[in-house]
Amino acid sequence: MQTLREFTRKTKRGNILKIVREHYLRDDIGCGSDLCQYCFQNEAYQLTSDHEIKSSLFKYPHYIVLDTNVVLDQIDVLEEDVFHNVIVLTTVLNEVKHKSSSIYKRLNEIIHDRTRNFYVFVNEHHKDTYADREPDETANDRNDRAIRLAAKWYDSHLQTSQESKVFQRSGRTATRVILLSDDAGNRAKAEAEGILVSTAADYVKSLEDFPLLVDKLSQKSFENEKQALPQYPPHLSMKELLEGFRQKKLLQGAFQASRENYLEGSVNVENYEKAILIQGRESLNRAVDGDLVAVELLPESEWSAPSEIVLEEKNVYADDVPSEDRVEQEKEMLQQLQTAPVAERTPTGRIVGIVRRKWRQYCGILQPSLIEDTTRHIFVPADRKIPRIRIETRQADKLQNQRIIVTIDSWPRNSRYPHGHFVRSLGPLGNMATENEVILLEHDVPHCKFSEEVLSFLPKMPWTITPEDYAKRVDLRDLYICSVDPPGCTDIDDALHCRELPNGNLEVGVHIADVSHFIRPSNALDKEAAARGTTVYLVGKRIDMVPELLSSNLCSLVGGVERFAFSCIWELDKEANVLAKRFHKSVIKSKRAMTYEEAQVLIDDSSKNDEITKSLRNLNRLAKILKKRRMDNGALVLASPEIRFQVDSETHEPLEVEAKQMRDTNSMVEEFMLLANITVAQHISNEFTECAVLRRHPKPPPTNFDPLVKAARYQGFEVSTETGLELSHSLDKCVKADNPYFNMMIRILTTRCMMQAVYFISGSLQKEEFFHYGLAAPIYTHFTSPIRRYSDIMVHRLLAASIGADSTYAQLLERKSNEEICNNLNYRHKMAQYAGRASVALNTHLFFRGKEEDEEGYVLFVRKNALQVLIPKYGLEGTLYLKSDKDGKDGLERTKSEVVFTFNEEDHTQRCGNVIFHSFDPVTVRLSLDSTNVQHEKLVFRLVKPYIKGFSVETTTEVDPEQPPAKKMNKQKKKK
């Protein structure tokens, strides 16, 4: 059966087009119920009589038809294994797909779980349930009518099947069909048409066997809530926002909340060099980190400066009226900023509307309520950028010491905090597995198991290299190839060789795992790797980008095993000048897989003179020449504090913590990886001028270097930042005989001034913008780690296509789709870095739990109310606060009158009496773990030396006989 759908569309020129589409209706679409005696059924997804749910509202067996709003708002409820025999109409499925891709994906996962009995009914093509759009009817009203029509047809269709004498003799109660809708208008029309209907909340509350499911209901507002006074200005409507953008009265951008000051944030606006500063609760106006917001720029006379104050919201519960303390905090901060020098002021604005919310699920804990037997509680997110969330739960006692997940539903004007609902518990607080899960979720790291579809594209085991494979590749199995990696590395991406040629020159080869041989374009395995973007390394845990069969087995260049590689081979003279280069796919057999330490021992042992040792010595000598040449060109040697943990193999808790050691062999491998990346970048950009995948590192704006220049000047060093070469030479001169860590600290400070390196497509920028500032390289890419970076797989495919080793394909040359992939890779790499740092912080906290230690450190930089201190022994960095909290929570009971620190804006110093703190000054601090806030345990730095009375820790104190002494760490303690 065929029907016609007609509609008109206005063209850009103003012409009216009449569009007619054929729409086919069928009479052979099954209803999916095992009660039906008339329809052809699909056995796999039947609605069955096996799952009856007890409801006090509907005391008979029933199927459920979902309205679109119920799916969008209550997906967390639907994911629970409570709902069975649910009919999902294609009208609803299409609406959800257009409104939220993430919820559409989650709904599809439920539908494909055969145990859940969710049945997709194609109502739009069924002759009895298709609803043609009526004149003057909106698309939304037509969809509501289609949903009601399908619900009514289902009910009457099943009633007909249950009128048979066989069914009536069985004594079973007839099954009915219920529509769940949160649209009051749709419910009223459904009731008028005789359809059984309920709101999602009423239905969930009626489920007698699942009382706790109520906690997962989306909370747009709380029942019996008093209509409190508005605490925030109203948001402009979408129509007003669009008009404001058109007239250029409003600006649009992504909101970034400050992690250190809950009353501050910024909005990144296109074509603005600096982000728009937002300060104060009313100006922030209910924006949550990540939201796309509309900003009104304030007059220049009202512009402010970033506060540089560390401000946390404390001692707050669900009292929606701001307390005196909070009002005072806000006033104090804003008063300080009004006195900021004009030169430091930056464009400042206020948020007037939300264009698009970017709410997600948040990890955190419940804050114990001050009121007994209440269901309303405050959820404190682990991410300091996220505000507290009000939720209703009846299982607060059970969740008290658990990490839980909560999602935001709404943020009314009259509520200090957004409203949300409980999703699920992750596990006990402090448990290593739970805390790692929190890190992964909070940094949006995809870490679920690889799906069956993804795994189906892996090679079948046992896998062997065939004669055809040997014929297509260059055989390098006889070369003395070896790999050098960190201890315990199983995903070995790269291997090296060096041999002398008859003409006296050297042949050097970098051999990279040929991952692109196993991952073919656009299949499920490729899409999963592209979505993950990178392997994520936590302490003692790795989240692979590709399945383990590839990462630790078939692709890993382990010693003594034949493997596929992509080889980049140069001919170099004795002075490391490249005379020739070639690329080819190869078969290699690594003679040995070594750690950096093992390779260094071989190089240094004069009694060794085998082929591997000779190869390593030549590589090491050439690497030193290459590094010097890079430094002379202006490449920067930057530093960041890095920590290495020894982890207990059973409990996975840290036993020892120390700063990472760097050897010549680290630098040796790095130099040849850099050379390979640069060589490949030059080649693919010449071959594919518009679609080469490259990596750039923008030059920082001069203002970024201000803290570095000021800090170095006080120490008697002038740092020139005009060019990378001048900066590199300046850093080399920053050496103090009495402070071995001074140069490292200067370089750490320089790292903080840098911009983020990013992936991009060559056709999107001018050639002069390709420059990599940190490496002083005119062009650069990533080629050497395809097991753990998807960018390298893309580069491998381009290189293979350019040398005829593999065929090209359409998407490889599509600039737009590859730009989208690059944007995702940049995001994933940034999140992976943050997740790694969070894992280091977690393990550091576990290591210092129950311990105290006095350690020598140095002031990295001075802030308005704190010193940033580096502890070289551990590679640790932390904050020493100079201003106590009024409640004395930091353990230092003092008042402002006793100890006063004065911050000097000019030279960035802090003075207290005769003691002045500058950057790089030596200090002694006491390290201990503050566990008073179970959510945010923090390593506390307290000053020991220089001694300031009333502020520094007293080194000789009387011990209370009733109080057990805190454990002190023995510095001479031997490693386990």
Side-chain angles (χ1 to χ4, degrees), residues 501 503 505-509 568-573 576-583 675 679:
L501 296 173
N503 63 6
N505 291 331
L506 294 167
E507 179 188 88
V508 174
C568 174
I569 297 175
W570 305 271
E571 183 181 337
L572 303 176
D573 62 19
N577 296 305
V578 177
L579 306 175
K581 68 176 189 296
R582 65 184 187 273
F583 309 103
L675 182 61
T679 306

Side-chain angles (χ1 to χ4, degrees), residues 2 21 38 96 115 124 392 448 607 611 647 708 793 805 839 933:
Q2 176 185 325
R21 283 187 183 160
Y38 306 107
V96 171
T115 64
E124 293 291 357
E392 277 197 7
C448 55
S607 67
E611 290 298 326
V647 179
L708 169 71
I793 294 177
S839 178
N933 182 340

Side-chain angles (χ1 to χ4, degrees), residues 646 648 654-656 851 973-976:
Q646 286 185 16
D648 188 293
L655 299 172
E656 290 293 332
K851 301 169 184 171
K973 181 178 159 185
K974 291 180 183 175
K975 288 185 183 178
K976 293 184 185 178

Side-chain angles (χ1 to χ4, degrees), residues 178-241:
I178 294 158
L179 172 63
L180 293 189
S181 176
D182 287 338
D183 181 337
N186 201 21
R187 282 201 312 276
K189 289 176 183 175
E191 285 170 358
E193 293 168 16
I195 299 168
L196 296 170
V197 65
S198 169
T199 65
D202 287 344
Y203 182 76
V204 169
K205 287 171 186 173
S206 77
L207 302 180
E208 298 164 358
D209 296 335
F210 304 99
L212 297 180
L213 195 60
V214 177
D215 288 358
K216 299 204 170 191
L217 283 169
S218 173
Q219 297 284 0
K220 299 288 183 187
S221 61
F222 291 110
E223 287 181 12
N224 308 320
E225 187 170 41
K226 290 177 184 175
Q227 199 57 36
L229 291 171
Q231 297 201 28
Y232 298 94
H235 286 151
L236 298 181
S237 68
M238 188 53 70
K239 186 180 177 182
E240 290 171 315
L241 293 180

Side-chain angles (χ1 to χ4, degrees), residues 690-869:
E690 288 296 307
C691 56
V693 178
L694 302 173
R695 188 163 174 83
R696 63 191 281 262
H697 183 213
K699 182 182 177 181
T703 52
N704 278 31
F705 289 111
D706 287 351
L708 169 71
V709 172
K710 286 179 182 176
R713 187 171 292 150
Y714 173 75
Q715 297 292 333
F717 297 97
E718 279 300 323
V719 173
S720 173
T721 60
E722 281 299 307
T723 65
L725 183 61
E726 287 180 25
L727 176 60
S728 178
H729 288 165
S730 298
L731 295 177
D732 289 340
K733 292 172 186 172
C734 294
V735 177
K736 285 185 136 186
D738 61 339
N739 185 347
Y741 299 109
F742 179 71
N743 189 259
M744 182 185 79
M745 289 190 291
I746 278 281
R747 292 184 192 277
I748 289 173
L749 213 52
T750 309
T751 306
R752 303 285 157 85
C753 304
M754 293 295 137
M755 307 286 281
Q756 186 85 23
V758 291
Y759 297 108
F760 70 102
I761 302 299
S762 55
S764 62
L765 292 171
Q766 297 298 316
K767 275 202 169 179
E768 51 270 23
E769 294 178 277
F770 292 7
F771 192 73
H772 195 293
Y773 181 76
L775 298 172
I779 193 165
Y780 190 67
T781 193
H782 274 161
F783 163 75
T784 54
S785 295
I787 293 177
R788 58 187 177 89
R789 290 190 303 234
Y790 187 76
S791 55
D792 303 51
I793 294 177
M794 296 171 76
V795 169
H796 277 228
R797 288 172 179 166
L798 288 164
L799 185 60
S802 74
I803 62 171
D806 205 346
S807 56
T808 187
Y809 58 98
Q811 196 185 342
L812 186 67
L813 309 177
E814 272 183 23
R815 197 173 94 185
K816 191 173 180 184
S817 63
N818 286 336
E819 278 178 355
E820 288 172 5
I821 293 172
C822 284
N823 290 338
N824 178 59
L825 295 182
N826 292 329
Y827 171 71
R828 292 292 179 206
H829 276 262
K830 185 171 70 175
M831 288 295 109
Q833 279 185 324
Y834 292 163
R837 289 174 198 165
S839 178
V840 166
L842 166 65
N843 281 269
T844 305
H845 292 170
L846 288 172
F847 178 72
F848 279 100
R849 188 168 284 165
K851 301 169 184 171
E852 274 191 354
E853 180 174 353
D854 292 356
E855 278 298 336
E856 291 175 5
Y858 294 91
V859 177
L860 255 185
F861 46 90
V862 180
R863 305 169 87 161
K864 282 190 178 176
N865 65 341
L867 304 176
Q868 206 69 14
V869 176

Side-chain angles (χ1 to χ4, degrees), residues 66-195:
L66 300 172
D67 198 351
T68 309
N69 47 56
V70 172
V71 177
L72 291 170
D73 292 340
Q74 309 295 356
I75 189 69
D76 292 319
V77 174
L78 297 176
E79 282 180 328
E80 288 297 302
D81 193 13
V82 171
F83 285 79
H84 294 267
N85 292 334
V86 175
I87 299 156
V88 181
L89 305 175
T90 48
T91 306
V92 171
L93 206 55
N94 290 332
E95 278 197 294
V96 171
K97 186 178 182 179
H98 290 134
K99 290 185 176 179
S100 173
S101 58
S102 60
I103 292 177
Y104 176 72
K105 186 180 176 185
R106 290 166 71 184
L107 178 60
N108 260 322
E109 284 173 3
I110 304 171
I111 291 167
H112 286 99
D113 181 353
R114 298 185 182 192
T115 64
R116 295 295 307 276
N117 305 93
F118 272 56
Y119 183 73
V120 177
F121 179 61
V122 190
N123 65 307
E124 293 291 357
H125 290 278
H126 193 288
K127 68 179 181 64
D128 294 327
T129 58
Y130 173 68
D132 206 356
R133 190 166 166 184
E134 295 174 352
D136 301 324
E137 187 177 37
T138 66
N140 188 58
D141 288 345
R142 180 261 160 203
N143 288 343
D144 285 349
R145 186 162 57 83
I147 293 166
R148 294 196 303 274
L149 181 62
K152 190 168 186 178
W153 175 83
Y154 247 106
D155 197 37
S156 61
H157 178 71
L158 293 179
Q159 295 280 57
T160 307
S161 292
Q162 294 173 95
E163 285 170 359
S164 69
K165 290 180 180 178
V166 176
F167 183 84
Q168 289 176 354
R169 278 201 297 271
S170 70
R172 287 161 61 192
T173 310
T175 298
R176 303 294 303 276
V177 175
I178 294 158
L179 172 63
L180 293 189
S181 176
D182 287 338
D183 181 337
N186 201 21
R187 282 201 312 276
K189 289 176 183 175
E191 285 170 358
E193 293 168 16
I195 299 168

